[in-house]
Structure formats: C-alpha cells, structure tokens
Amino acid sequence: MIRRLTRTSALGLAALAVLAAPAAATEEEAPQSATAAIQATVMELEYEVYAGGMKALEVEMEIALGETRYRSSFDAEIAGPYAWFMDFKLRSSVEGERADTAVQPAYFITEAFKKDRLKRRVEIAYLEDGSLDTRVEPEPD
C-alpha cells in the first residue's frame, strides 16, 4: 500500500507538531524580544517520501516555538526519477500566536513553483476583527 503525503496532511502534521511541542523557557529564561521568543525552541525536520520504491519527494520543515509566538515553514520538492518528468516545488510558512495548545495564525503564505518559475502565490493576513486580507497571484479564473 502506498500512502500519499498531501500538502494538507503535511501542513496538518506541522500544526500537530506545534501543538504537541513542549512549552518554551520559563518566565525567568524567556527571551526579551518577539523574534528571540519565537526562536526559543526550534525543530528542523527532514523527510523523504518514496513511491514505488523510489524517492519521490523531499520535505523540509522548521517549527519555531516561543512562549507566546510560533512560526512554521514547509518546503517540498519533487525528487528522484520523478523529477525527470515533473518539476514542482512548494513553499509555505505561517506565523502567529500560541497559548497552551491553541494557535492563532497572523500571517500565512504559500508559493508553488514549476521549472523555478512562480506559478501561484497566496498570502493571507488574519486581521484582529476576524476578517482576512487575501492576495492571490495570478488571480483565479
């Protein structure tokens, strides 16, 4: 049985890792700046996905957790012999706030590339009033 790792499940895996990760340093050890707080705990993950016994996808993830902030990035690229026939890369990242096991995104961006050319870019800013500021390039048909 071959299992596919879809973009949705990979991002779900990243979210699960954020929720399951231990809390950052104690209050006495907590960094002073927001950037330093995000970098308090950093996990770097690398995966190779195989299909038909051949490497098909390389995935790199980084999850940075602070006491009140988080950041996660996800990069995936077609690899192995499959790359001879298909050239595709995907980059996604999200930043936001966290409290206990709850996360609230502030900003999300994803970019899809084919032959090193940007094919689609989606940016979402999560505004304080609950609305979304969304940009999609190119515009959907």
Side-chain angles (χ1 to χ4, degrees):
M1 173 192 233
I2 297 173
R3 300 186 82 175
R4 290 185 178 177
L5 179 65
T6 64
R7 180 176 64 133
T8 303
S9 62
L11 290 174
L13 178 63
L16 179 62
V18 167
L19 294 175
T26 64
E27 203 170 306
E28 295 174 359
E29 302 167 332
Q32 299 302 315
S33 73
T35 301
I38 290 175
Q39 296 174 359
T41 302
V42 177
M43 293 176 279
E44 293 179 352
L45 309 167
E46 293 182 1
Y47 297 93
E48 292 180 345
V49 179
Y50 287 78
M54 297 177 285
K55 184 170 27 171
L57 189 66
E58 293 177 344
V59 178
E60 293 181 4
M61 293 173 52
E62 181 180 282
I63 302 168
L65 301 173
E67 193 168 318
T68 60
R69 306 270 313 151
Y70 75 96
R71 182 183 70 244
S72 179
S73 64
F74 173 88
D75 294 320
E77 183 174 355
I78 301 294
Y82 295 97
W84 300 339
F85 304 103
M86 188 181 346
D87 180 17
F88 181 78
K89 297 177 189 175
L90 178 72
R91 274 195 318 228
S92 297
S93 64
V94 63
E95 292 184 24
E97 295 182 26
R98 74 181 208 123
D100 298 320
T101 59
V103 294
Q104 176 61 48
Y107 184 75
F108 172 80
I109 184 169
T110 188
E111 297 173 313
F113 298 86
K114 188 173 181 182
K115 298 187 187 229
D116 292 327
R117 296 183 65 203
L118 183 65
K119 297 303 279 180
R120 171 80 65 197
R121 177 185 180 101
V122 177
E123 293 181 65
I124 303 171
Y126 297 80
L127 305 177
E128 289 183 19
D129 66 1
S131 63
L132 303 175
D133 180 14
T134 305
R135 292 185 195 102
V136 179
E137 298 172 23
E139 289 290 326
D141 294 335

